[in-house]
Amino acid sequence: GCNIDIEGCPEGRLVRQDSNIGKINIAYGGVGRNICENAARLGGDLSFVSVIGDDPWGEGAKAQLASLGVDVSGVKQIKGEGTSMYLCVMDENRDMEVGINDMGIVRHITPEFLREREAILKSSKVVALDGNLEEELLDFATDMLRDEKLFYDPVSVNKAVRAVNFIGRFFAVKPNVMEAEVLTGVTINGEEDVKRAGRILVDKGVRMVFITLNKDGVYYIGKDDRGNTDEGFLRPLPDIIPVSATGCGDSFSACVLMGIAAGMNVKQIAELGMAASSVTIQSERAVNPEISMELIRGRMSRSEA
């Protein structure tokens, strides 16, 4: 996904069916694009594969990633189409009142599109796929890239169902609680249920699972090459004052990519991801422009202390 995010927030109480005075922010977004930008800011060597529209917004999103050193040769501009957009109206508490997404352009990501970019994908240490891809394309992509380490971010509950039948093809996955319920069939009401869902995913073949728990942190479970399992819970740093939780999952996902590429174990990756989320949550933007590996390592040192 490569979106343009438009967010509106009223100055006072949100009044329905009326014009509200407030603030509107426009930013580059999309789960796939956000993951890519975060990983690039953390020093990763990235290629981005997606589609953009025939408009200045898409051209700007592509140019912005290129300015961070990302290879954007796999991004295709579709003539006559508009770049994906996500429109969100917040209430006075900065909770989402309503959202509308226009992701129609994603239908141009086809098997032929991926075959043309097969060399880029197969030359990578790890490949990330997001849930914006339709089930048939996810099936095709995971088969074409069956010898690669694949990471999956479901994006949403409604889209998580697309990967249920072949979730075991992924090396690593990062669902939230509701997405984990869809992927496993487990109703999650507590930590034991979270563990059960994680173990089901590992039993299906996933090597690393990260189930995000919003304000309660993350549960991780992984199985190494010897068949040994490691699992646990990590909690957020208590002294972090949140500004916006938007994009925290994307920075965590970027750390999963970076960690897999670096050969880190599941707990090390979870620690890296939690530290990155603590940086992201202190910014109004989905991607904190100040994020860096040095800053994340500093947060990890505080956690260990």
Side-chain angles (χ1 to χ4, degrees), residues 3-291:
N3 298 354
I4 306 303
D5 290 344
I6 305 172
E7 179 186 288
C9 189
E11 284 187 0
R13 184 176 64 87
L14 181 67
V15 180
R16 286 176 167 270
Q17 299 181 341
D18 197 8
S19 177
N20 289 257
I21 297 174
K23 186 177 181 180
I24 297 175
N25 291 314
I26 302 177
Y28 301 128
V31 169
R33 196 217 65 86
N34 287 352
I35 293 172
C36 188
E37 180 181 346
N38 274 295
R41 292 186 181 278
L42 295 179
D45 181 11
L46 277 292
S47 292
F48 185 55
V49 173
S50 188
V51 288
I52 58 173
D54 185 16
D55 52 42
W57 295 112
E59 293 173 355
K62 180 179 178 180
Q64 190 255 3
L65 286 179
S67 71
L68 295 173
V70 176
D71 169 23
V72 293
S73 62
V75 177
K76 183 177 181 179
Q77 187 175 54
I78 309 299
K79 298 299 181 183
E81 291 274 8
T83 299
S84 295
M85 289 201 174
Y86 177 70
L87 173 64
C88 178
V89 177
M90 314 293 279
D91 65 16
E92 59 273 18
N93 299 315
R94 293 196 63 82
D95 291 326
M96 185 178 72
E97 180 72 16
V98 66
I100 299 175
N101 71 79
D102 178 1
M103 299 288 295
I105 195 173
V106 175
R107 72 184 184 279
H108 290 281
I109 302 180
T110 62
E112 292 72 27
F113 175 92
L114 291 183
R115 285 194 194 98
E116 292 171 356
R117 290 151 180 80
E118 188 172 356
I120 294 175
L121 297 168
K122 289 190 173 181
S123 66
S124 303
K125 291 183 177 180
V126 57
V127 177
L129 302 173
D130 76 33
N132 288 307
L133 302 177
E134 294 292 342
E135 181 176 352
E136 295 78 7
L137 193 66
L138 275 174
D139 189 7
F140 173 83
T142 53
D143 182 58
M144 184 182 82
L145 301 170
R146 57 186 175 276
D147 296 327
E148 310 305 314
K149 289 182 177 178
L150 302 178
F151 166 71
Y152 176 61
D153 189 316
V155 174
S156 72
V157 173
N158 291 332
K159 294 175 181 178
V161 69
R162 298 172 178 175
V164 168
N165 293 328
F166 41 84
I167 192 66
R169 299 178 189 176
F170 292 98
F171 183 86
V173 298
K174 188 203 64 72
N176 61 26
V177 167
M178 293 184 293
E179 293 160 355
E181 289 182 329
V182 171
L183 292 172
T184 64
V186 174
T187 299
I188 298 176
N189 293 311
E191 289 188 358
E192 289 304 313
D193 294 327
V194 173
K195 290 180 181 180
R196 188 154 64 95
R199 290 165 184 168
I200 287 174
L201 290 169
V202 169
D203 288 342
K204 288 179 179 291
V206 182
R207 297 288 294 277
M208 294 185 177
V209 177
F210 306 91
I211 301 178
T212 55
L213 310 171
N214 295 321
K215 61 181 178 61
D216 294 321
V218 67
Y219 164 77
Y220 66 88
I221 181 171
K223 183 176 289 188
D224 63 22
D225 293 335
R226 298 180 179 179
N228 300 315
T229 299
D230 185 16
E231 66 177 325
F233 289 88
L234 293 178
R235 308 302 181 186
L237 288 170
D239 59 341
I240 298 296
I241 299 175
V243 174
S244 172
T246 301
C248 287
D250 299 337
S251 61
F252 193 109
S253 292
C255 288
V256 176
L257 295 186
M258 297 291 286
I260 293 173
M264 297 170 65
N265 64 41
V266 66
K267 182 179 181 181
Q268 291 170 329
I269 294 174
E271 291 171 340
L272 196 69
M274 284 297 295
S277 296
S278 77
V279 173
T280 302
I281 204 169
Q282 292 186 299
S283 172
E284 290 186 352
R285 302 184 185 183
V287 179
N288 188 336
E290 302 301 320
I291 197 167

